[in-house]
Amino acid sequence: MVNAYRKALQSLWTGVCTVYVRVPSPTPDPATGRTVWAVEAVAEAVPCRLSFETLSETQDESSAAKVTQSVKLFLDPAVPLPAGSKLTVTQNGVTGEYVQSGEAAVYSNHKEVPLELFERWA
């Protein structure tokens, strides 16, 4: 039963994502002595699905409603998502760069990850 549910759920995943992390070079830059960072993919072409939700909230009746968008990623629970990782997601012909914005909710058949738009490496 679990396999049938997992297959049905994953049949909805029309996107693919790649997970990137920053890794330090084993030797510092000889000119500056600073750590050199490289970007490395830890998971590539992983089937997934992005879900968007528009949230509006008002403080009182005299102000305009503040509208925000919540982005959630659904993917296999076995996919590694280290803290601070960057995700590139392509769905419906559109590619976006995101970063994990909170703890992933892990279920037996999928993982739900709240995302924010990627601005830069911390």
Side-chain angles (χ1 to χ4, degrees):
M1 180 67 168
V2 173
N3 261 349
Y5 178 70
R6 181 178 282 201
K7 278 185 158 183
L9 185 63
Q10 290 179 352
S11 71
L12 300 173
W13 297 352
T14 58
V16 292
C17 71
T18 302
V19 180
Y20 298 97
V21 294
R22 287 180 64 189
V23 292
S25 170
T27 57
D29 182 5
T32 63
R34 293 185 175 183
T35 302
V36 178
W37 294 90
V39 177
E40 181 179 288
V42 294
E44 296 183 83
V46 176
C48 64
R49 180 174 184 90
L50 277 178
S51 172
F52 299 93
E53 180 181 6
T54 301
L55 308 169
S56 63
E57 53 185 67
T58 56
Q59 309 303 5
D60 55 43
E61 294 178 15
S62 63
S63 64
K66 179 181 175 186
V67 178
T68 59
Q69 188 176 54
S70 170
V71 182
K72 194 179 290 185
L73 181 71
F74 295 83
L75 70 163
D76 192 280
V79 175
L81 277 177
S85 57
K86 172 184 165 184
L87 295 97
T88 302
V89 182
T90 302
Q91 182 173 290
N92 300 327
V94 179
T95 300
E97 293 182 331
Y98 302 93
V99 65
Q100 183 175 348
S101 67
E103 285 296 315
V106 181
Y107 301 99
S108 59
N109 294 307
H110 71 286
K111 183 187 297 189
E112 295 179 16
V113 185
L115 301 177
E116 290 180 359
L117 288 173
F118 178 80
E119 292 179 21
R120 63 179 179 87
W121 290 104

